[in-house]
Amino acid sequence: MPEHSINQIAHLLGSPLKEEKIVTHFAIDSRKVLQGGIFFALKGKKVDGHNFLGEAAKRGASSGVVSEDYQGPDHGLSLVRVGDVQEALHRLAKFFFAQRKERVIA
């Protein structure tokens, strides 16, 4: 992934921040977050990713993408608030795939 700041990513998602932390990778599983990553707090049928923001922070995440109605603690993360976390993940994936020179077939 090319280097982008959390501010650039937040701007792409329509929720600008005034921070310049570099995002190293994306994660949807708090157990797989690495230093400087951004954690997407997806809501599933049985589990809500918002409940794992603290775990993501402990593992080194610098940021999190959360629902705009999330009212819990930030756990020291820069939070990007969006209407739909899954849609935000799709939008970012589409943006990054469009920047690639290689063609994706399947």
Side-chain angles (χ1 to χ4, degrees):
M1 178 182 108
E3 281 194 358
H4 289 282
S5 72
I6 186 59
N7 186 41
Q8 291 169 319
I9 290 169
H11 181 74
L12 285 169
L13 298 178
S15 184
L17 296 174
K18 300 275 188 204
E19 299 183 38
E20 293 301 321
K21 296 176 188 174
I22 298 299
V23 173
T24 58
H25 70 282
F26 302 115
I28 60 170
D29 184 334
S30 62
R31 298 169 295 187
K32 297 188 179 184
V33 172
L34 301 173
Q35 192 68 34
I38 184 169
F39 174 67
F40 284 78
L42 296 170
K43 288 184 182 180
K45 290 181 181 180
K46 295 182 180 181
V47 180
D48 184 348
H50 294 87
N51 296 332
F52 297 95
L53 287 167
E55 177 71 21
K58 287 178 189 174
R59 291 189 179 268
S62 63
S63 314
V65 177
V66 299
S67 298
E68 60 192 0
D69 59 350
Y70 174 69
Q71 297 295 317
D74 64 14
H75 300 282
L77 301 172
S78 299
L79 297 182
V80 179
R81 296 178 185 278
V82 296
D84 184 327
V85 176
Q86 185 171 352
E87 171 60 32
L89 181 59
H90 289 180
R91 197 174 335 156
L92 273 182
K94 185 176 180 180
F95 172 78
F96 283 114
F97 272 108
Q99 290 187 338
R100 296 176 64 142
K101 294 179 184 177
E102 304 88 7
R103 239 175 130 196
V104 177
I105 305 291

